[in-house]
């Protein structure tokens, strides 16, 4: 999600979950855990669709962040961006 526009949002958590989230933050995973959970909940009750879309977003991010893909340009646009945009089109609405 590095390339997407993200907006900060605060939440209140029970103490036990707050501590677990702090532990996850040490591995730099806290934001993505919360973001993924919120996105999956707001995408609707369809667990398959939410999981599929998360997989699409993760795949898109991997391609976008690939240093080798950033080294190759087509029409002044790096191949990582081009491929990530194509992968994003697979997202279910």
């Amino acid at each position: 999600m590095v390339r997407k526009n993200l907006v900060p949002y605060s939440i209140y958590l029970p103490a036990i979950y707050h501590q677990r989230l702090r532990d996850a933050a040490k591995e730099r995973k806290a934001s993505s855990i919360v973001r993924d959970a919120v996105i999956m909940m707001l995408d609707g009750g369809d667990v398959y669709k939410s999981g599929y879309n998360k997989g699409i977003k993760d795949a898109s991010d991997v391609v976008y962040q690939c240093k080798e893909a950033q080294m190759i340009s087509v029409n002044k646009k790096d191949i990582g961006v081009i491929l990530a945009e194509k992968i994003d089109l697979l997202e279910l609405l």
Side-chain angles (χ1 to χ4, degrees):
M1 287 231 147
V2 173
R3 64 195 165 82
K4 311 270 194 245
N5 291 329
L6 301 176
V7 180
Y9 188 82
S10 296
I11 60 170
Y12 291 94
L13 294 171
I16 189 166
Y17 290 104
H18 179 261
Q19 185 57 49
R20 290 172 66 182
L21 197 57
R22 287 178 59 100
D23 293 342
K26 293 175 186 170
E27 298 174 28
R28 308 209 37 92
K29 294 181 180 179
S31 291
S32 64
I33 288 171
V34 173
R35 183 173 40 251
D36 292 345
V38 169
I39 289 170
M40 288 177 74
M41 291 295 293
L42 295 178
D43 271 353
D46 189 347
V47 175
Y48 171 79
K49 178 181 164 185
S50 295
Y52 175 86
N53 285 343
K54 182 187 178 331
I56 292 297
K57 290 174 190 171
D58 289 349
S60 177
D61 288 341
V62 166
V63 171
Y64 179 81
Q65 294 174 17
C66 178
K67 289 184 182 0
E68 293 82 4
Q70 293 173 3
M71 293 179 186
I72 302 168
S73 293
V74 176
N75 294 329
K76 298 182 182 179
K77 203 172 189 182
D78 75 55
I79 198 80
V81 171
I82 295 168
L83 293 174
E85 288 173 353
K86 296 295 183 185
I87 292 170
D88 287 341
L89 294 175
L90 297 173
E91 188 174 339
L92 299 176
L93 302 176

